[in-house]
């Protein structure tokens, strides 16, 4: 069993699709170990995405992620990290495959509906960020 961190981003919360995304999470065989609705402050959002702090999109990303509620989930499944990335689809919804969450619910490369950890080490760090 492997664990990963998922976030239902503020664009999805505003669109009232938390339930649809959680349905998909359950249908894909993940166990929801922990889950919380949060409102990230700018500092928190910046700290979470610190790896991107020198990118041109960083300030916009921080503003977006702190613009409203978000749902953070600790998910467990076999091969959880790669499987959740596959269910999410590519970062840019326009390039995400049909049937992926980002293709279905994403609006732009920034407002792309969901987050998922990208590797074992980042999953551990990101889980620790929200769930002590
Ligand atoms: P990922 O979420 O697919 O792992 P990353 O490259 O780690 O993608 O980027 C983190 C987040 O930053 C993305 O999910 C998206 O919200 C935002 N982002 C990434 N690239 C861009 C961009 O070129 N313009 C605006 N926002 C971006
Ligand atoms: Mg990433």
């Amino acid at each position: 069993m492997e664990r990963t961190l998922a976030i239902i981003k503020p664009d999805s919360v505003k669109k009232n699709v938390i339930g649809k995304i959680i349905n998909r999470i359950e249908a894909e065989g993940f166990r929801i170990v922990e889950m919380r609705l949060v409102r990230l402050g700018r500092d928190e959002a910046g700290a979470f995405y610190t790896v991107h702090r020198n990118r041109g999109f960083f300030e916009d990303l921080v503003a977006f992620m702190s613009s409203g509620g978000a749902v953070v989930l600790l998910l467990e499944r076999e091969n959880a990290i790669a499987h959740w990335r596959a269910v999410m689809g590519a970062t840019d919804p326009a390039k995400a495959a049909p049937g992926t969450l980002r293709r279905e619910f994403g609006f732009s490369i920034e407002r792309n509906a969901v987050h998922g950890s990208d590797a074992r080490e980042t999953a551990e760090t990101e889980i620790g960020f929200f769930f002590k």
Side-chain angles (χ1 to χ4, degrees), residues 9 49 51-52 55 57 60-61 64-65 85 88-91 102 109-112 114-116 118:
K9 292 185 178 184
Y49 278 120
V51 66
H52 295 308
R55 308 288 293 276
F57 60 79
D60 276 353
L61 175 61
F64 161 55
M65 289 301 291
R85 297 284 306 188
M88 289 200 304
T91 306
R102 282 169 163 174
I109 193 167
E110 177 186 270
R111 293 164 195 247
N112 58 3
V114 283
H115 166 85
D118 61 8

Side-chain angles (χ1 to χ4, degrees), residues 8 13-14 17 26 36 43 47 74 82 85 90 99 104 106 127 131:
I8 302 175
V13 174
K14 285 204 178 82
V17 294
E26 293 186 328
R36 194 161 79 243
D43 289 354
L74 200 186
R85 297 284 306 188
E104 191 173 357
I127 288 166
F131 302 106

Side-chain angles (χ1 to χ4, degrees), residues 11-12 15 64 91-94 101-113:
D11 57 326
S12 300
K15 276 165 56 186
F64 161 55
T91 306
D92 183 353
L101 289 171
R102 282 169 163 174
R103 176 69 168 264
E104 191 173 357
F105 298 116
F107 171 74
S108 67
I109 193 167
E110 177 186 270
R111 293 164 195 247
N112 58 3

Side-chain angles (χ1 to χ4, degrees), residues 40-50 58 62 66 129:
L40 295 180
R42 294 186 67 99
D43 289 354
E44 253 181 314
F48 182 79
Y49 278 120
T50 187
F58 181 72
V62 166
S66 58
F129 193 91

Side-chain angles (χ1 to χ4, degrees), residues 24 80-90 97 99-101:
R24 181 68 183 273
I81 295 168
H83 193 81
W84 178 239
R85 297 284 306 188
V87 171
M88 289 200 304
T100 61
L101 289 171

